[in-house]
Structure formats: C-alpha cells, structure tokens
Amino acid sequence: MIHLKTDEEIELLRENNLLVSETLAEVGRHIRPGVTTKRLDEIAEDFIRAHGAVPAFLGYQGYPASLCISVNEQVVHGIPSAKVVLKEGDMVSIDCGTFMKGFVGDSAYTFEVGEVGEEVRRLMQVTKEALYKGTAQAKAGNRVGDISAAVQEYTESFGYGVVRELEGHGLGRKMHEAPGVPNYGAKGRGPLLKEGMVICIEPMITMGSKSVVFEEDGWTVRTRDRKPAAHYEFAVAIRKNGPDVLTDFGIIEQAIKH
Ligand code: MF3
Ligand code: CO
C-alpha cells in the first residue's frame, strides 16, 4: 500500500533528509587518506544524536552501523570497519539514515578520497546526473517506469551498467515503503505517481558489468568484476508543482569544495 503524505508530513520528511544532508556534509569534511570508515561512522552517529535524531540504519534488520560505506567496487551496504583505511584515489559511497519526529530520512552521496582518476570521476558525474534525470520524471500523472527508464537510458548511453538487484523505495514513517523504484524499466509502466507520494530514487551504477555479488558478511554488495560503482540517493516528494527534492546535495558540495 502506498501512503500519501500531508504537507505537514512532507515537512517532517524534509527535516530528516536535511539532517541526513548535513550529516553527509560533516562526514565529507573528514574524508581523507588515512581515515577509517569506522571513524566516519562514529562522526555520523554523534552528529545525528546531537541533532535529536537516531541513526535509522543502526539495528535495521540487524545492521550494525549508522552509515553504509562502500569503497570502490563495493556498490552499497558496506559495513564501516576500523580495518578499512581510505587511501588517495578511492571512491566512497556513503548512505545515511535518520529517524526523528516519527519519520525517516534516507540519502546517499559518493565522495572522492583526495582525487579520483578521470574515469571514476566520470562514473560519479553520470550517476549523479542519472539521479537528476530520474527526479525530473517524479511528477503526478507519470508512472514509476518513467523514472526508471530515464535513469536507465541516460546511464546506458555512457556504456555503464545499472544494478538490478536493488532499487529505490517509498519513504515515510518506515524506511522502505511501497512503491519500489527500480533503476531500469519501461516508460508508462508501473505504479501511478500521485501528489503526496515521497520516494527515494537511488541509482547504483557500475563502470563494467552490471552483475553484483553479495559478500559473506551478509550485507556488502560488490560488482562481480570488481570494477567501481557509484551510488547517489535523493528523497523526493511529488507535489502539485512537480518534484520537490527533500535532500540537499548543495550542503554536501559546499562542505567538500576545495
Ligand atoms: N539506504 C538504504 C536503502 O535505501 C538502506 C540501508 S540498509 C541498512 O535501502 F540496513 F543499512 F539500513
Ligand atoms: Co534508500
């Protein structure tokens, strides 16, 4: 069942997703060669709690941390660890969730550690642009498939792979609500988008084959060919005047500008 949100509920979702954006900005300020992903997770947890929220991922289906931190060939759901030390040229996808005032925030951003190579930078850029292409289709009267097709067409025009095994989702009092929002599909198909729906769009895009494997830790998803993958995620409300993005990448990009 798809829960439609009132304007007031959308503002609570915006508060959560702004806190997620601010948390990602704070984490982004600490990303540098030598930092462990465990340290970044602690920074995020402290920041979220200091702002009166709780980390939405911690304990979710037994997940052991506040962030998912996925390095290079890891696509999503990498578990922060004191053994994972970031190094110059790594790419790191960080997914963050908050819970406060009865609602959830959920957004992700892919960062450079120092400077990545030209090929990886392009993958990051195209993945973010694919998210924007999908977001532009998030309007009442369209269908989920319009978002999916926009993400897929744009991504594949660069020869990149769209991961099939995971998808975006509705967002509200629960982190994962209906409808599912795949990153591939056909225009005009799938559930109808209506005013008051809030969804997360989250392309997971690979430089090589789209095929992924699930690691033994029960969480980490990585590319089968071990080529890099990027992941960006927005929460978007469908409003009378079109898509209303509840996440603010501007805060993150301001924080990491050098
Ligand atoms: N942000 C992820 C998603 O969009 C959820 C993280 S899974 C968790 O589906 F277990 F880490 F919470
Ligand atoms: Co999500």
Side-chain angles (χ1 to χ4, degrees):
M1 158 175 182
I2 297 179
H3 299 281
L4 300 180
K5 278 82 186 180
T6 64
D7 288 354
E8 291 72 22
E9 289 172 330
I10 288 172
E11 290 317 307
L12 295 175
L13 282 159
R14 191 190 313 278
E15 273 188 55
N16 271 281
N17 284 285
L18 284 178
L19 178 56
V20 170
S21 307
E22 278 158 10
T23 306
L24 288 171
E26 180 64 12
V27 168
R29 286 185 198 100
H30 291 84
I31 294 176
R32 61 177 67 97
V35 73
T36 66
T37 58
K38 174 84 181 161
R39 178 72 195 121
L40 298 178
D41 190 68
E42 289 164 359
I43 289 165
E45 179 169 1
D46 290 348
F47 191 88
I48 291 166
R49 293 192 192 282
H51 288 79
V54 294
F57 296 178
L58 189 62
Y60 180 85
Q61 292 178 6
Y63 187 73
S66 298
L67 299 177
C68 298
I69 308 186
S70 309
V71 185
N72 297 332
E73 73 270 21
Q74 296 177 345
V75 183
V76 288
H77 302 170
I79 302 174
S81 163
K83 292 190 193 124
V84 179
V85 183
L86 297 181
K87 59 181 196 305
E88 175 69 32
D90 281 345
M91 168 178 65
V92 65
S93 306
I94 305 189
D95 197 339
C96 178
T98 61
F99 180 79
M100 65 175 169
K101 302 182 184 176
F103 286 86
V104 178
D106 178 17
S107 310
Y109 197 87
T110 299
F111 298 85
E112 300 181 70
V113 182
E115 263 180 65
V116 298
E118 197 47 53
E119 263 197 316
V120 170
R121 189 190 312 276
R122 189 169 151 88
L123 173 70
M124 292 169 64
Q125 181 71 25
V126 168
T127 305
K128 189 161 59 166
E129 285 165 1
L131 169 58
Y132 297 154
K133 298 281 180 194
T135 302
Q137 297 299 319
K139 46 192 186 192
N142 272 2
R143 290 182 179 270
V144 168
D146 293 303
I147 298 172
S148 307
V151 171
Q152 181 180 16
E153 273 169 30
Y154 187 72
T155 304
E156 291 181 348
S157 75
F158 292 86
Y160 294 142
V162 175
V163 172
R164 303 292 201 265
E165 286 83 350
L166 302 126
E167 62 184 20
H169 49 90
L171 183 75
R173 292 186 182 276
K174 294 254 160 61
M175 179 154 59
H176 294 133
E177 296 187 354
V181 183
N183 295 301
Y184 67 100
K187 277 182 198 141
R189 305 290 288 271
L192 187 62
L193 299 175
K194 292 184 186 155
E195 223 183 297
M197 281 174 61
V198 176
I199 55 173
C200 285
I201 306 175
E202 48 178 318
M204 288 151 266
I205 305 302
T206 64
M207 195 182 281
S209 155
K210 64 181 184 298
S211 177
V212 298
V213 298
F214 292 75
E215 297 276 24
E216 307 270 285
D217 63 14
W219 285 101
T220 312
V221 181
R222 70 157 169 88
T223 57
R224 186 176 292 276
D225 61 12
R226 297 191 184 272
K227 293 208 177 141
H231 173 223
Y232 292 82
E233 176 178 17
F234 260 176
V236 187
I238 291 150
R239 313 298 292 269
K240 207 192 311 311
N241 298 321
D244 180 2
V245 178
L246 306 181
T247 305
D248 188 349
F249 281 180
I251 298 174
I252 303 168
E253 284 161 7
Q254 191 63 36
I256 62 177
K257 204 163 65 186
H258 35 239

